[in-house]
Each structure stands twice: as structure tokens, then as C-alpha cells.
Amino acid sequence: LRETPASIAVANRADIDRRGAQNFQDAANALPGVNASAPPGFGGFISYRGFTSSQVTQMFNGINVATGLARPVNSWIYDRVELLGGPSSVMNGAGSVGGSLNYVTKLATRQEQAAEGRVSYGSFDTTQTAFGMNHALSEPASQVQHYARLDVSHTTSNGYIDRQENDAWNVAFSLLSDITP
């Protein structure tokens, strides 16, 4: 962060949980100057300090998503959201005159076993069930170590408009391998 000559903001997992973020727009809105929404026909609209649409690059784990995220992805799978303000074409490619948003998912760690979950219920019969688990795939004494993480979330809602039901599943998987000690 110190070596990047630009405005940088990060919303980590604690910030996302504290705000009660339900999807990636809510997570992005935790960052200063960002206005993220999902208007009909364009699920990944981002506005940052007067720049909109293709002027703000959206990335998923550092990979440029040219058209933005197509639908509101559940925030459960994200570890953090990073914002690089100002012209960032040198770091993230053409089209980043306004800035770049990078959505980083939860990744496998070197824990033997870990599990977490969330169940919620809210307005308009909105329900969310989510769980994540990290597990070692090899014996502790072996030379090569493998760790896997799986996150799954399911969200349903009747919506605040008649016949606007929503039913969405999100799955994220990562594998971490230590080839040599």
C-alpha cells in the first residue's frame, strides 16, 4: 500500500460483516466514494467520484471482468474488496481512468480444519444460508501439502415487488498446494 502512488481503500471481511453486506454491491459501498447498484438490465453498475461504467475497472481476484459482474453475487464468498482510485491503467490495463475495484474471494489457508457459517432471515422472506470450510487434504508428515477451501451460499427472497422472487446459489473453491517444504 505504501509503494502505490494512488488513493487505496480496502473493505476487509470484518467491514463487510459489520455493514451486513448481502451482495458485492453492498461490499463495494463500504468503500469511500463508491456507489454500486444493480439497475434492471445492468447488474454491475459502479460509480466512483464521477466516473462510471467502463471508466472503473472491475476485477475478480485480479482478473479483469470486462462487462462488470452480471448479477449481484452473494458477499459470503468475498474476503475483501480493494479500491485503487485514480488512473490505474498502468497496473490494471486500459479503461481504468476512474479507478479499479478488485473483489477478492476467500482462499484456502494452511489450517488443518476450519469451518464457519451463517443463517439469516429478513424482510420480504429473504433468507440466506451460507457455509465455508477449509481442510487439509494431505497428511501433516507428507512432503507435499494440499489445502482446499469451499464456500457455498444460497439466498432466496420474495422481493418488494410482486412476482420478483429471487433464488441464487454461489459456490467458490480454492486449492493451495505447497510443492516443497
Side-chain angles (χ1 to χ4, degrees), residues 11-40:
N12 59 27
R13 186 72 230 169
D15 297 331
I16 293 170
D17 288 340
R18 186 173 46 255
R19 290 183 60 95
Q22 295 295 312
N23 53 45
F24 80 91
Q25 286 109 349
D26 293 342
N29 284 331
L31 298 167
V34 173
N35 182 7
S37 61

Side-chain angles (χ1 to χ4, degrees), residues 47-94:
S47 172
Y48 175 65
R49 293 185 179 169
F51 294 98
T52 61
S53 212
S54 63
Q55 298 167 332
V56 179
T57 298
Q58 292 186 65
M59 297 178 293
F60 186 78
N61 287 334
I63 299 170
N64 191 344
V65 183
T67 59
L69 296 172
R71 67 176 181 87
V73 176
N74 193 305
S75 68
W76 175 259
I77 67 171
Y78 296 118
D79 178 55
R80 66 186 180 278
V81 180
E82 304 168 336
L83 170 67
L84 176 61
S88 53
S89 297
V90 172
M91 296 179 75
N92 301 320

Side-chain angles (χ1 to χ4, degrees), residues 2 39 44 52 62 94 107 132 156-157:
R2 289 184 191 173
T52 61
L107 299 174
T156 61
S157 178

Side-chain angles (χ1 to χ4, degrees), residues 109-166:
T109 62
R110 290 179 177 86
Q111 290 180 293
E112 293 293 319
Q113 287 187 337
E116 57 187 337
R118 178 169 64 194
V119 176
S120 67
Y121 179 82
S123 302
F124 310 110
D125 294 326
T126 301
T127 62
Q128 181 189 47
T129 307
F131 72 90
M133 46 194 258
N134 193 86
H135 188 69
L137 301 178
S138 51
E139 295 297 321
S142 66
Q143 289 287 347
V144 178
Q145 295 288 316
H146 300 286
Y147 304 90
R149 178 166 182 99
L150 176 68
D151 287 286
V152 177
S153 68
H154 179 233
T155 305
T156 61
S157 178
N158 284 332
Y160 63 93
I161 299 172
D162 290 342
R163 296 179 303 281
Q164 189 190 15
E165 292 81 17
N166 177 21

